[in-house]
Amino acid sequence: MDIISQLQEQVNTIAAITFNAFGTLQRDAPPVQLSPNYPEPPATTTATDDATAFPEQPKQLSADLVKAAKQFDALVAALPLSEGGEEAQLKRIAELQVENDLIGQELQKQLEAAETELKQVQELFGHAADNCLNMKKPE
């Protein structure tokens, strides 16, 4: 797998961990009173095992997220540095664009030649079919 694909995969991993972390926190966090003007939130009926495990879940999710971010940073650091700066990149882009245009023109000529040949073949096929239909049956 190339470096760009690995980066994309790592971004997907970070997104999945983040979504799972938010979902877990939203699902498992105990209710909190936002303001004294609001009534006390209802007590949740969770098992004692879940209540004791809750403080550990954010720590584990945070550790997973940090680990994924560090792997992403390592992949970014492994990217090759561009040589010559922005001007060299722009020059290379211009060269590639000229090459692309030339190849495009050549492909257009080949397409036109192929279309001409196709018309000729269709004409010849039509003549051959007409000749076959006009043949008389032996008596």
Side-chain angles (χ1 to χ4, degrees):
M1 189 181 315
D2 68 329
I3 190 80
I4 299 299
S5 298
Q6 290 176 1
L7 281 169
Q8 291 171 335
E9 185 67 28
Q10 197 61 32
V11 167
N12 290 341
T13 300
I14 290 171
I17 291 170
T18 304
F19 290 138
N20 286 336
F22 290 150
T24 300
L25 289 173
Q26 184 179 20
R27 180 193 68 206
D28 297 340
V32 177
Q33 184 177 13
L34 298 176
S35 166
N37 298 334
Y38 292 105
E40 281 286 324
T44 58
T45 56
T46 59
T48 56
D49 293 340
D50 291 343
T52 57
F54 175 74
E56 297 302 318
Q57 287 177 343
K59 291 177 186 176
Q60 181 61 43
L61 292 169
S62 299
D64 292 344
L65 187 59
V66 169
K67 180 181 174 186
K70 286 182 179 180
Q71 289 174 346
F72 181 82
D73 289 342
L75 289 170
V76 169
L79 285 172
L81 297 175
S82 62
E83 297 176 12
E86 187 176 346
E87 290 179 21
Q89 289 177 358
L90 291 174
K91 182 181 175 185
R92 178 69 177 140
I93 290 171
E95 291 170 357
L96 290 172
Q97 186 63 43
V98 168
E99 181 182 340
N100 186 40
D101 291 343
L102 291 173
I103 292 172
Q105 290 171 359
E106 184 179 328
L107 285 173
Q108 185 63 36
K109 289 177 186 175
Q110 290 177 0
L111 176 63
E112 290 168 1
E115 287 174 346
T116 303
E117 190 174 342
L118 176 63
K119 287 179 185 176
Q120 290 173 349
V121 168
Q122 286 173 337
E123 246 180 65
L124 290 173
F125 181 77
H127 289 309
D130 289 343
N131 288 338
C132 286
L133 292 175
N134 290 333
M135 292 177 80
K136 294 182 181 179
K137 293 181 183 178
E139 294 182 22

